[in-house]
Amino acid sequence: MQNLLTASVLSAALVLTTTSAQAADADLAPLPLKLPLPTLKGTPDDLPKGPNIEPPTEKPRPPFLAPKGTRNLALNKKVTASVKSPFNGDLSQITDGTKEAFDDQAVELRSGVQWVQLDLGEVCDIHALVVWHDHRWLQVFRSVVVLTADDPDFVENVKILFNNDAENAAGLGIGTDKQYFETQQGRLISAPSGLKTRYLRFYTKGSNLSGLNCYQEIEVYGLPAAK
């Protein structure tokens, strides 16, 4: 009798767990990502290699699930930078929704450690970010660091979402994330559960091909936080 009761309890718990999981899955959907076309310039022979660099891959990224209704909150939002004017392009292009591998869609900042910053306009629940630095060529950008904060000066509640700055060039601490190759897929960075923020800042220090810092598009996926 005891065994029968135990089996019944376990069976009921399994059904409850399965039902809860199905209900949770029903509230999720893949990010509404629209990828740019791939570049057709081929793979160079002298690609950078090393234990801190992810090898290039042509495998598509698995869909990232987020609550239904999640959208790109960065679209047409204000962008500022560590420099007054870009070397090429306009900062507004970083959130204009276009990210094809064309020269006129690349915003270039001068060399050295530089950053761009997004203001979402209000506090939002963030689930993921996708960054396209420059997929015109297969290259690795250096010292990629992504921060969030509650204020535009990045003093209050600063969080690091990604850091592959192994040399601490940006002065934000040594990062343990790996460097990666730029492709049409961009880099998807998942946000920690429950992240609420308004401001995001993105650092780089050039790439293996150029000292310039480049951005084609930044997308921030989430929903406005409940008030």
Side-chain angles (χ1 to χ4, degrees):
M1 177 63 78
Q2 181 63 40
N3 289 340
L4 287 175
L5 285 174
T6 301
S8 298
V9 170
L10 290 175
S11 179
L14 179 60
V15 169
L16 181 60
T17 301
T18 302
T19 303
S20 298
Q22 290 174 338
D25 289 346
D27 293 333
L28 301 176
L31 292 183
L33 266 171
K34 293 182 179 178
L35 298 181
L37 295 173
T39 179
L40 301 176
K41 293 184 177 178
T43 302
D45 296 328
D46 55 348
L47 290 178
K49 299 176 182 177
N52 293 324
I53 302 177
E54 295 176 358
T57 178
E58 295 182 356
K59 292 176 59 176
R61 180 174 52 227
F64 183 92
L65 299 180
K68 287 183 176 177
T70 294
R71 64 182 188 274
N72 176 20
L73 300 169
L75 185 62
N76 297 321
K77 290 299 193 308
K78 181 180 179 181
V79 182
T80 54
S82 53
V83 295
K84 188 173 183 180
S85 301
F87 183 78
N88 184 50
D90 189 274
L91 292 176
S92 64
Q93 293 178 263
I94 296 174
T95 56
D96 67 354
T98 58
K99 54 220 178 218
E100 297 297 337
F102 302 145
D103 292 348
D104 61 359
Q105 294 187 15
V107 181
E108 294 175 313
L109 281 63
R110 68 188 185 195
S111 60
V113 176
Q114 304 294 347
W115 52 260
V116 299
Q117 182 170 316
L118 272 59
D119 178 0
L120 299 179
E122 61 182 326
V123 176
C124 298
D125 292 318
I126 305 302
H127 301 294
L129 328 170
V130 189
V131 183
W132 290 263
H133 286 110
D134 185 358
H135 66 100
R136 290 176 294 177
W137 298 279
L138 195 62
Q139 59 183 315
V140 171
F141 273 78
R142 312 293 194 191
S143 302
V144 177
V145 186
V146 180
L147 306 177
T148 64
D150 290 347
D151 65 303
D153 295 324
F154 278 71
V155 174
E156 301 175 10
N157 196 25
V158 178
K159 291 183 171 61
I160 297 178
L161 302 191
F162 185 91
N163 184 354
N164 68 15
D165 186 7
E167 300 177 350
N168 195 23
L172 299 166
I174 295 175
T176 57
D177 292 306
K178 290 190 175 183
Q179 299 178 7
Y180 59 89
F181 286 91
E182 294 285 325
T183 70
Q184 65 164 145
Q185 297 193 63
R187 183 65 175 194
L188 189 149
I189 300 170
S190 60
S193 178
L195 177 65
K196 297 179 185 293
T197 198
R198 171 173 172 173
Y199 300 95
L200 302 100
R201 187 177 286 183
F202 303 79
Y203 287 81
T204 53
K205 186 186 177 186
S207 75
N208 67 297
L209 296 181
S210 170
L212 297 178
N213 297 277
C214 188
Y215 291 87
Q216 290 167 320
E217 192 72 10
I218 297 175
E219 297 182 349
V220 181
Y221 285 90
L223 290 166
K227 298 178 181 176

